[in-house]
Amino acid sequence: MLETIRALFTRKPENLLRSKLSTRAYDAAAGGRRWRDAGATPSIQAAVLAGREPVARRARDSSINQPLANSAVEVWTGEAIGTGMRPVPQTGDDALDKILADRFEAWTDECDYFGLESFYGWQATACRRAFVDGEFFSLMVFADEQLRLKALDPAQVNPALSMELPGGGLVISGVEVDAGGKPTAFHIYRNWIPGLPLLRGLESVRIDAADVLHLFRPDAAGQTRGMSRLASVLLRLRELDSLTDGQLVRLKTGAFLAGFLTTVDGGGALGEQTVPGEVTLEPGTMTRLGPGESVEFSKPPEIGSESNAFQKAVIREIGAGVGVPSFMLDHDLSEVNFSSARTAIIAFRRRVEAWQDAFAFQMLRPVYRRFVTTEILSGRLAVPLNASTLKHKWIAPKGQWLDPLKDAQAEALAISSGLTSRRESVAARGIDVESLDNEIAADRAREERLGLSFAPPPQQQTGVENVAP
């Protein structure tokens, strides 16, 4: 060991530097032939701003025209939103909690500024557009003295506006940030809806960030705009779509040809023809050939098993890129068993739960706080406005169990063993425990009043009874 250290210090400096670089280096940071055409992304923020709009355009086209992309969007939205996430007030007053929950539920049918969907449909739209476009914007506005949610197209947030502001602030692609990089306002086109003719000119107005809901997945510190979740698989989707089209054309071309009738002096197509003297093919017919004539049938090209295996491998790669199990994309369960499906779905739901937390933080909590504040300040709710009144949590709908009996038994065992609380278990089902307890108490009181009994039947004993010696 001492000899090795002594040898290092007796080398020339240039040799020592070369030795250290050759023995203490990351292959991923090295140069050479294998990295000659490799891409590099120095800044996530710069990459997002430069590629956001081209990627969004291609993602929108892919989600419309390519079945796998459309399936990825719908599977993610169905699992993440389902019937919609619901708020659970936690003011500490059960009566007030019920009033707030009932009022919010009544408002959900009137929340949409355009009157096209309920609050839960608005959630699904937000999830779908954020998946495809990379982000979703919505304004919190007032109409008829009520809070309304006005969805925006991402292109309405002025993507061409970037400039420096006095005091060190910036406007980055329509998003205004202070000197520390925190969003303070959004510059939004007033009278323009993307896709419609420009009739009234382009004029962007500054809207405070407190009135704007912006849903996106931040991949880097200081990021102001979002990137489509399809970004990493768009090229694969396009190539797979081209491959599938090529195979279909190949089979169709082969199916057009039936056979060839050849004679001594030449050949002619064997099939339905209008030229006299040529043969027409019909099912079940037998044709006598003339002297010197023979038939040679075409060999339509077939799709080999290696091509199908390659397609499945590409679909698995696409599923990994969008975070959705591949068998949920193409609905091919031929290679899936219960254990593998359960493992994949559990990992998938973990990703969804992480996204739901960000969704609640960026979109749902501001909406609930604004709704309760509006109800109090308008006088429709006579309670003090403080942090306790605004306290709440959001519950997502419970995903369907893969094995309901075993999962229910395991859950009951965990509760009885003290490994989890009943409140936590009920919340995991997407239900508020207080509401559930009230429903159970009301059901049992009604059953007792009506003389009903829904007790489970006694379990039948199977096998040989134990006999005392």
Side-chain angles (χ1 to χ4, degrees), residues 135-139 150-154 157 186 212-214 225:
E135 55 189 353
F136 175 76
F137 291 93
S138 188
L139 297 179
K150 185 178 182 180
L152 300 176
D153 189 283
V157 179
F186 294 82
V212 182
L213 302 170
H214 185 196
R225 302 297 294 259

Side-chain angles (χ1 to χ4, degrees), residues 75-76 79 323-329 333 336-353 398-403 407:
V75 167
W76 182 273
E79 187 67 28
V324 177
S326 60
F327 64 85
M328 299 179 74
L329 290 180
L333 304 178
V336 178
N337 55 39
F338 178 81
S339 298
S340 62
R342 182 183 178 88
T343 302
I345 290 177
I346 289 175
F348 171 54
R349 287 178 176 171
R350 289 296 186 188
R351 298 190 191 100
V352 169
E353 289 172 358
K398 173 69 175 179
Q400 296 296 321
W401 278 334
L402 300 181
D403 190 339
D407 287 341

Side-chain angles (χ1 to χ4, degrees), residues 290-320:
E293 294 180 341
S294 62
V295 176
E296 179 182 355
F297 288 96
S298 64
K299 298 179 180 179
E302 298 179 355
I303 299 177
S305 59
E306 68 282 356
S307 178
N308 294 329
F310 176 74
Q311 279 188 312
K312 290 183 179 180
V314 175
I315 292 174
R316 286 194 293 268
E317 186 178 9
I318 292 172

Side-chain angles (χ1 to χ4, degrees), residues 102-354:
D102 291 343
R103 290 206 177 182
F104 189 89
E105 186 63 28
W107 173 79
T108 57
D109 287 341
E110 304 173 355
C111 74
D112 185 22
Y113 177 85
F114 301 104
L116 299 177
E117 54 193 357
S118 70
F119 180 65
Y120 307 111
W122 176 85
Q123 291 183 32
T125 299
C127 176
R128 190 177 295 110
R129 298 325 311 163
F131 192 98
V132 176
D133 298 331
E135 55 189 353
F136 175 76
F137 291 93
S138 188
L139 297 179
M140 292 187 288
V141 299
F142 291 93
D144 301 327
E145 299 182 355
Q146 293 284 343
L147 175 65
R148 297 288 184 264
L149 303 177
K150 185 178 182 180
L152 300 176
D153 189 283
Q156 289 181 260
V157 179
N158 192 344
L161 183 60
S162 296
M163 62 181 182
E164 295 185 10
L165 298 174
L170 296 171
V171 178
I172 306 173
S173 192
V175 181
E176 182 177 328
V177 300
D178 60 16
K182 181 180 179 180
T184 57
F186 294 82
H187 294 259
I188 300 172
Y189 288 126
R190 182 193 297 273
N191 296 319
W192 179 56
I193 299 178
L196 297 182
L198 185 60
L199 302 177
R200 289 171 284 187
L202 287 177
E203 179 189 2
S204 59
V205 295
R206 182 184 184 275
I207 299 180
D208 192 87
D211 298 322
V212 182
L213 302 170
H214 185 196
L215 174 64
F216 73 105
R217 187 181 73 175
D219 295 316
Q223 187 175 334
T224 57
R225 302 297 294 259
M227 177 60 71
S228 171
R229 290 184 68 93
L230 294 172
S232 64
V233 299
L234 282 175
L235 187 57
R236 288 289 184 271
L237 285 167
R238 176 177 172 81
E239 297 294 343
L240 181 62
D241 192 57
S242 300
L243 174 61
T244 304
D245 286 344
Q247 290 178 337
L248 289 174
V249 172
R250 179 185 180 188
L251 292 177
K252 287 171 63 178
T253 303
F256 287 150
L257 302 177
F260 303 96
L261 177 64
T262 60
T263 61
V264 176
D265 58 349
L270 179 62
E272 184 177 353
Q273 300 291 335
T274 58
V275 180
E278 292 193 353
V279 181
T280 300
L281 287 180
E282 295 180 1
T285 61
M286 298 183 66
T287 303
R288 185 184 298 276
L289 300 178
E293 294 180 341
S294 62
V295 176
E296 179 182 355
F297 288 96
S298 64
K299 298 179 180 179
E302 298 179 355
I303 299 177
S305 59
E306 68 282 356
S307 178
N308 294 329
F310 176 74
Q311 279 188 312
K312 290 183 179 180
V314 175
I315 292 174
R316 286 194 293 268
E317 186 178 9
I318 292 172
V322 297
V324 177
S326 60
F327 64 85
M328 299 179 74
L329 290 180
D330 60 1
H331 303 283
D332 181 9
L333 304 178
S334 59
E335 298 180 356
V336 178
N337 55 39
F338 178 81
S339 298
S340 62
R342 182 183 178 88
T343 302
I345 290 177
I346 289 175
F348 171 54
R349 287 178 176 171
R350 289 296 186 188
R351 298 190 191 100
V352 169
E353 289 172 358

